[in-house]
Amino acid sequence: MAHIIVVGNEKGGAGKSTVSMHVATTLARLGHKVAALDLDLRQRSMGRYLENRKDFCVKSGLDLPMVEIHELPEIDPASLQPGENIYDHRLSAAVSALEP
């Protein structure tokens, strides 16, 4: 069964990406299959960290457990009903894609 862990705080610089990265990589090291969605679409701190980790491992020949990072899919604004939030749809589509 899949579990969803959310790390959130409205304040910038509170350590959300750092905590998320440590939780995700620790779960991967424990043998769990882990996927991550970085919802900070501007900064992408966690996404950039995981991309850099993957690149470092490839360059160094290291075989470390990896976390799959997924981007939020684009949604056609024309497909939305009045009052619907495009970001809600992007998040729902991303989570649905990870369910299998």
Side-chain angles (χ1 to χ4, degrees), residues 7-19:
V7 176
N9 188 324
E10 290 184 18
K11 183 188 176 306
K16 299 174 294 288
S17 296
T18 302
V19 167

Side-chain angles (χ1 to χ4, degrees), residues 16-38:
K16 299 174 294 288
S17 296
T18 302
V19 167
S20 299
M21 177 272 306
H22 284 295
V23 169
T25 55
T26 298
L27 289 170
R29 289 183 71 185
L30 291 172
H32 298 282
K33 186 174 180 181
V34 180
L37 295 170
D38 188 348

Side-chain angles (χ1 to χ4, degrees), residues 5-65:
I5 299 171
V6 178
V7 176
N9 188 324
E10 290 184 18
K11 183 188 176 306
K16 299 174 294 288
S17 296
T18 302
V19 167
S20 299
M21 177 272 306
H22 284 295
V23 169
T25 55
T26 298
L27 289 170
R29 289 183 71 185
L30 291 172
H32 298 282
K33 186 174 180 181
V34 180
L37 295 170
D38 188 348
L39 301 183
D40 186 344
L41 303 177
R42 255 182 313 136
Q43 187 86 6
R44 290 195 67 253
S45 297
M46 184 177 172
R48 286 184 294 115
Y49 170 83
L50 292 171
E51 290 165 358
N52 290 339
R53 182 176 193 257
K54 182 178 180 180
D55 290 345
F56 176 79
C57 288
V58 168
K59 290 176 187 174
S60 303
L62 296 174
D63 185 23
L64 296 177

Side-chain angles (χ1 to χ4, degrees), residues 1 4 12 25 31 58 73-74 81 84 86-87 93:
M1 176 192 339
I4 297 175
T25 55
V58 168
E74 294 297 328
Q81 298 297 319
E84 287 186 320
I86 195 165
Y87 297 107

